[in-house]
Amino acid sequence: MIDKKNITGIILAGGKSSRMGTDKGFLLLNNKPFVQYSIDALSPLVSEIIIVSDNADYDVFGLKRITDITKNAGPVAGICSGLEASSTDYNLILSCDIPLIKTQILEKLIDNIDDYHEIIQVESNGKGMPLIALYNKDVTKTFNTFLKNDERRLRVAINCCKSKNVILEKENEFTTMNVNTKTELKAIKDANNH
């Protein structure tokens, strides 16, 4: 297992949340803000947590907060900003809208580190989840090039890197549910009550 001093946690909380109408990181589940679930899942595995957001409200968590280098350029910019601010080779990246995520899911990513792959992402319900993934700092250059060329699609950037998926068991798939709408918020609250 890679020592946690070689891993930084990066939480992407810069989304516009246009469909939700409010900053998703502060949505509550059991009276705890979503972003706190990301912090709790990452904390045992990393030496530092960086929040990528232009919203100063996140400073209440007492973590290092950085703003996006390129504004309104989506997760490619957020990931790039986070990697540039990180001082470690390995970086666990999480978006702030996955409140059911668990430390042991993130551990699977670390267990799959090898000398070849630059990005190791969770695969859930047959889909790669680039916002629950481990990124090597080496991809910063690739991501920067995409930003310069105005390519905002995360999947395109990932396809140009050496990536692999860690497939979740069926019973763990609920941990990767993310919330974009009020309907999904209700679904997550229901899933959490079981």
Side-chain angles (χ1 to χ4, degrees), residues 8-9 21 38-39 44 49 59 71 79 81 89 114 123 132 148:
T8 299
S38 299
I39 293 167
I49 293 178
D59 295 345
K71 302 294 175 215
I79 289 168
S81 306
D89 286 339
D114 57 37
E123 182 180 315
I132 310 175
K148 286 195 182 71

Side-chain angles (χ1 to χ4, degrees), residues 12-68:
L12 303 180
K16 283 274 169 285
S17 308
S18 46
R19 285 180 282 180
M20 189 58 82
T22 175
D23 199 317
K24 288 192 287 195
F26 290 104
L27 289 173
L28 296 179
L29 181 64
N30 300 331
N31 293 319
K32 190 162 110 176
F34 275 20
V35 72
Q36 188 65 54
Y37 288 93
S38 299
I39 293 167
D40 294 348
L42 286 166
S43 290
L45 305 174
V46 300
S47 56
E48 180 184 33
I49 293 178
I50 298 170
I51 294 180
V52 183
S53 176
D54 290 351
N55 183 348
D57 293 349
Y58 282 104
D59 295 345
V60 299
F61 297 100
L63 298 166
K64 177 172 173 179
R65 179 178 65 87
I66 60 158
T67 55
D68 266 335

Side-chain angles (χ1 to χ4, degrees), residues 3-170:
D3 192 316
K4 74 180 203 178
K5 68 174 187 295
N6 295 324
I7 306 174
T8 299
I10 298 171
I11 298 173
L12 303 180
K16 283 274 169 285
S17 308
S18 46
R19 285 180 282 180
M20 189 58 82
T22 175
D23 199 317
K24 288 192 287 195
F26 290 104
L27 289 173
L28 296 179
L29 181 64
N30 300 331
N31 293 319
K32 190 162 110 176
F34 275 20
V35 72
Q36 188 65 54
Y37 288 93
S38 299
I39 293 167
D40 294 348
L42 286 166
S43 290
L45 305 174
V46 300
S47 56
E48 180 184 33
I49 293 178
I50 298 170
I51 294 180
V52 183
S53 176
D54 290 351
N55 183 348
D57 293 349
Y58 282 104
D59 295 345
V60 299
F61 297 100
L63 298 166
K64 177 172 173 179
R65 179 178 65 87
I66 60 158
T67 55
D68 266 335
I69 301 168
T70 311
K71 302 294 175 215
N72 304 321
V76 174
I79 289 168
C80 203
S81 306
L83 291 175
E84 291 200 346
S86 161
S87 51
T88 59
D89 286 339
Y90 297 104
N91 300 276
L92 277 169
I93 292 190
L94 267 188
S95 62
C96 68
D97 58 358
I98 312 169
L100 305 181
I101 193 66
K102 304 271 182 282
T103 299
Q104 59 266 34
I105 304 292
L106 301 175
E107 258 171 350
K108 292 178 196 289
L109 297 173
I110 297 170
D111 291 341
N112 275 280
I113 288 174
D114 57 37
D115 292 335
Y116 177 75
H117 293 96
E118 300 165 313
I119 299 172
I120 302 167
Q121 61 180 351
V122 162
E123 182 180 315
S124 182
N125 290 310
K127 284 205 308 267
M129 317 278 292
L131 299 182
I132 310 175
L134 187 110
Y135 287 72
N136 193 302
K137 199 170 162 64
D138 292 347
V139 304
T140 314
K141 211 160 66 223
T142 308
F143 273 54
N144 253 324
T145 307
F146 280 109
L147 282 178
K148 286 195 182 71
N149 296 327
D150 214 30
E151 174 55 76
R152 308 282 168 83
R153 288 170 299 178
L154 183 52
R155 237 162 257 295
V156 174
I158 285 174
N159 288 341
C160 291
C161 300
K162 298 191 281 273
S163 69
K164 72 172 171 181
N165 291 4
V166 174
I167 298 171
L168 283 193
E169 304 81 3
K170 266 267 169 275

